[in-house]
Amino acid sequence: MAEETKKDFSPNFGSIELNKLVSKLQSSSDPRRKYEYLLWLAKKLPLLPEESLQESIKVKGCISQVYVLGELVDKKLRWRGYSDALITKGMLSFLIHGLDNLSPKEVLEINPIFIEETGLNTSLTPSRANGFLNIFLKMNSQAKLFL
């Protein structure tokens, strides 16, 4: 019989940082620990000045107020954002850190399956889970503008 070899099939979601963030959330099955991690990420959110909070960068479909702004710097997107709710701020920070410093094309190549892979969809309310996807989609639409 041929001996089976184990291979490391670490998922690649499109960025090294995004892979790390998803892996961190996958490392715990405790929803409380996942929320604690999101709250920790919320504290690390690159702030968006109040004067930048314009309708054009507002995320539609979120119950809370969420804004995300991508700026092209040396052909890479740099992200900043704002949310008035802590959990949403954590999800925004997760996405900003995961998609920061990628080219617009790289952002657009990211498969949204990573959202499901975080395991957050089982502990988030449906409106928050939808908000997570809407933030990602807003970032995608901004990335398209730079192609």
Side-chain angles (χ1 to χ4, degrees), residues 18-78:
L18 186 60
N19 296 345
K20 288 179 189 175
L21 291 164
V22 172
S23 178
K24 179 71 174 172
L25 284 172
Q26 288 176 334
S27 70
S28 176
S29 59
D30 181 2
R32 194 180 83 219
R33 301 272 304 173
K34 291 178 189 264
Y35 277 116
E36 288 171 354
Y37 184 61
L38 285 179
L39 295 174
W40 180 78
L41 284 172
K43 294 176 186 173
K44 298 178 67 167
L45 180 67
L47 293 178
L48 190 58
E50 197 169 312
E51 61 271 9
S52 297
L53 304 182
Q54 300 171 9
E55 196 64 28
S56 63
I57 63 165
K58 187 174 184 181
V59 177
K60 307 288 188 250
C62 285
I63 293 172
S64 45
Q65 301 294 308
V66 183
Y67 298 83
V68 64
L69 176 64
E71 298 172 306
L72 200 61
V73 178
D74 296 327
K75 299 182 182 179
K76 300 287 184 178
L77 283 165
R78 302 305 314 242

Side-chain angles (χ1 to χ4, degrees), residues 11-22 94-103 106-107 109-111 114:
N12 181 2
F13 298 108
S15 92
I16 293 169
E17 192 60 29
L18 186 60
N19 296 345
K20 288 179 189 175
L21 291 164
V22 172
F94 177 98
L95 289 168
I96 285 176
H97 284 90
L99 277 57
D100 198 45
N101 214 25
L102 297 178
S103 71
E106 289 170 324
V107 170
E109 290 174 349
I110 291 178
N111 186 331
F114 76 87

Side-chain angles (χ1 to χ4, degrees), residues 55 58-67 82-89 91 124-135:
E55 196 64 28
K58 187 174 184 181
V59 177
K60 307 288 188 250
C62 285
I63 293 172
S64 45
Q65 301 294 308
V66 183
Y67 298 83
Y82 168 82
S83 176
D84 63 353
L86 274 177
I87 294 295
T88 308
K89 192 175 187 180
M91 293 185 298
L124 291 173
T125 63
S127 62
R128 280 209 173 117
N130 190 45
F132 198 17
L133 177 61
N134 287 337
I135 295 167

